[in-house]
Amino acid sequence: MESAVLKSTQFRREREPSWRELEDLLEKLRKGSPRSLTPQELTRLPTLYRGALSSLSVARSISLDQSLLAYLESLANRAYFQIYGPRKGFFAVASAFVRRGFPAAVRELARPILLAILLSVIAAFAGYFLCMNNAEWYYTLMPGSAAQGRMPTSTAAELRAVLYDHDTAPGDMLSAFASFLFVHNAGIGIVCFALGFAFGLPTALLLIQNGLMLGAFVALYVSHGLGIEIGGWLIIHGSTELLAIMLAGGAGFALARAILFPGGKTRLGALAETGRTAGQVALGCVLMFCVAGMLEGYARQWVVTLWARYAIGGLMLAFWAFYFLQPLPPAPDDESQ
């Protein structure tokens, strides 16, 4: 026991000055930036880091006391993150994601996203024509919680009131219905992505169901002579919210594709690689749902002029088209070249 203590003490005495020097440099970096170090100190830092790693390796091999091992592990970890860790702060990372990460991920998953859009559009048209030909289909396609009392038996005046009644207090029927739609659509989008690993089948079913409900809802208003009005009511937030659902569905399909068709990679490896890109799309969809929530909570309920509703929705569509199709800024690796 005494021999081990002596060995540990001698080991510390011989190498501790370099550890202290490394600690001092790390503290300077923590309080400032690499510019706070002199050129000599910057040159010295990697050498001291490698020395700490060597000390840790030796300490482990000769089984020195646990307190010394814990100290050296902590020192080595701190040095690693200061030397090799990311230099960008939260806002820089968020800015890079919004400017390049999200649109680049959407472009990379263009095919599965187009599949999600195609399924949603076909389902919406199917729901519309089914309900226009037979109003009874509305009760099948639109669950009671989603209908919120809006049925084929409702009068045109009752349906119009939902679209233009903006003078009532918060918490009224209009606010409750708008909140329901946002929560429902956001939930659909998130689940579409999350269930992509189940070979994409739940994702496809959810997209089809959502499209059928949308088509049935539009058919209800068209059958009462309110087609243009319901278009204006939906486009303000739908141009963002429905697009986000389709993007999330495309991300789910990308996960399914990685599992079903991994190519030359293992399924786990293909899923991990695709999952990083799909995860970026899903994160971007969360931001889009937040934007849609603000449009739904304010613009749609307080902008009652029909042309203004279409103008806002059209501008949002144009914005998203430009955002996803514009030339991307160079990647960080490209900037350094």
Side-chain angles (χ1 to χ4, degrees), residues 164 232 303-314:
Y164 292 106
V303 176
V304 295
T305 307
L306 190 59
W307 69 265
R309 289 181 168 184
Y310 275 101
I312 294 174

Side-chain angles (χ1 to χ4, degrees), residues 140-323:
T140 301
L141 301 179
M142 184 70 70
S145 58
Q148 296 281 300
R150 291 149 190 84
M151 299 294 180
T153 55
S154 301
T155 65
E158 291 172 341
L159 295 176
R160 182 185 293 272
V162 177
L163 306 182
Y164 292 106
D165 186 6
H166 65 288
D167 295 324
T168 50
D172 62 0
M173 184 179 296
L174 176 59
S175 299
F177 187 49
S179 299
F180 169 82
L181 284 179
F182 172 71
V183 172
H184 168 79
N185 288 332
I188 288 290
I190 294 171
V191 174
C192 278
F193 165 70
L195 293 182
F197 71 89
F199 306 109
L201 294 177
T203 299
L205 291 175
L206 284 170
L207 289 173
I208 292 172
Q209 180 190 39
N210 199 59
L212 289 171
M213 290 173 58
L214 176 63
F217 187 71
V218 172
L220 172 66
Y221 277 83
V222 171
S223 66
H224 287 77
L226 298 171
I228 296 177
E229 288 82 354
I230 189 59
W233 191 78
L234 284 171
I235 196 172
I236 289 182
H237 76 288
S239 54
T240 298
E241 196 170 284
L242 296 177
L243 177 60
I245 291 176
M246 297 173 195
L247 292 179
F253 283 145
L255 296 179
R257 182 180 63 181
I259 296 174
L260 293 172
F261 308 105
K265 305 172 184 175
T266 64
R267 282 187 167 79
L268 187 59
L271 184 61
E273 182 178 329
T274 302
R276 286 191 288 270
T277 304
Q280 286 187 305
V281 173
L283 179 59
C285 289
V286 172
L287 298 178
M288 291 180 68
F289 284 127
C290 292
V291 172
M294 290 186 288
L295 291 170
E296 196 164 15
Y298 296 98
R300 189 180 65 177
Q301 297 193 50
W302 299 111
V303 176
V304 295
T305 307
L306 190 59
W307 69 265
R309 289 181 168 184
Y310 275 101
I312 294 174
L315 285 174
M316 291 306 303
L317 278 176
F319 167 78
W320 291 120
F322 174 78
Y323 176 69

